[in-house]
Amino acid sequence: MGKKGDLSNFERGMVVGARRAGLSISQSAQLLGFSHTTISRVYKEWCEKGKTSSMRQSCGRKCLVDARGQRRMGRLIQADRRATLTEITTRYNQGMQQSICEATTRTTLRRMGYNSRRPHRVPLISTTNRKKRLQFAQAHQNWTVEDEECCLV
């Protein structure tokens, strides 16, 4: 059976309450639907430290880009929407004491709601074709709907 994630504070309180009510580890596990290991670990933690809340929210490395850094990165993106990830990273690192890598920039941009996009590839219009289209548009500028219908038939 795999991990389901952290227990909520309420579930941890239920584990402690069941054990304090006199239920065994097996009875508590069967009643609450948690593993024996989970029951014993939560109750042991409550007995030793007197706490039922999980402190796992504070685990992991702190993010290098705080709210102020995100605003700065947002301004860099607004200035040049076509900038690549490398360009954004180098511009961000200019004037910052602690530099970040491209992976950090990528995760920050995803957290901010930006996704990577590529422009559609469209065929280029040649200069001669552009001139012909302009001449056609200028010649037929004052046409009405009736004029167009007679030529289409």
Side-chain angles (χ1 to χ4, degrees):
M1 196 161 109
K3 289 184 177 181
K4 293 189 213 173
D6 279 347
L7 297 178
S8 67
N9 290 342
F10 179 74
E11 291 171 333
R12 289 171 166 271
M14 287 185 357
V15 169
V16 171
R19 292 290 288 137
R20 295 272 322 241
L23 295 177
S24 67
I25 293 176
S26 299
Q27 291 170 335
S28 301
Q30 188 176 11
L31 176 70
L32 300 173
F34 302 130
S35 68
H36 291 77
T37 308
T38 303
I39 300 291
S40 60
R41 182 179 45 82
V42 169
Y43 188 66
K44 181 181 176 189
E45 189 175 3
W46 181 80
C47 289
E48 290 176 356
K49 300 176 184 173
K51 67 182 189 88
T52 58
S53 63
S54 174
M55 298 302 287
R56 288 193 51 189
Q57 288 82 12
S58 62
C59 292
R61 182 175 176 168
K62 302 293 182 232
C63 188
L64 292 174
V65 182
D66 55 352
R68 185 176 176 204
Q70 285 185 3
R71 288 194 302 273
R72 182 168 186 254
M73 198 172 289
R75 285 192 300 273
L76 290 173
I77 293 168
Q78 294 294 329
D80 186 11
R81 293 283 294 181
R82 292 179 164 263
T84 62
L85 190 69
T86 308
E87 292 170 354
I88 293 170
T89 306
T90 54
R91 289 177 192 161
Y92 181 85
N93 287 336
Q94 291 172 353
M96 294 297 283
Q97 291 179 353
Q98 190 172 19
S99 62
I100 60 172
C101 64
E102 291 181 13
T104 305
T105 306
R106 185 181 298 113
T107 55
T108 304
L109 292 177
R110 284 206 183 117
R111 194 178 310 124
M112 290 170 64
Y114 290 103
N115 299 342
S116 59
R117 295 281 184 257
R118 289 191 159 192
H120 287 287
R121 296 183 71 99
V122 294
L124 297 175
I125 301 173
S126 63
T127 54
T128 56
N129 195 13
R130 188 179 298 145
K131 289 177 184 175
K132 288 180 181 178
R133 288 175 68 166
L134 182 62
Q135 288 173 355
F136 179 84
Q138 288 173 344
H140 300 89
Q141 184 176 8
N142 297 323
W143 274 33
T144 61
V145 177
E146 291 80 24
D147 293 335
E148 290 180 25
E149 288 178 355
C150 72
C151 291
L152 292 176
V153 176

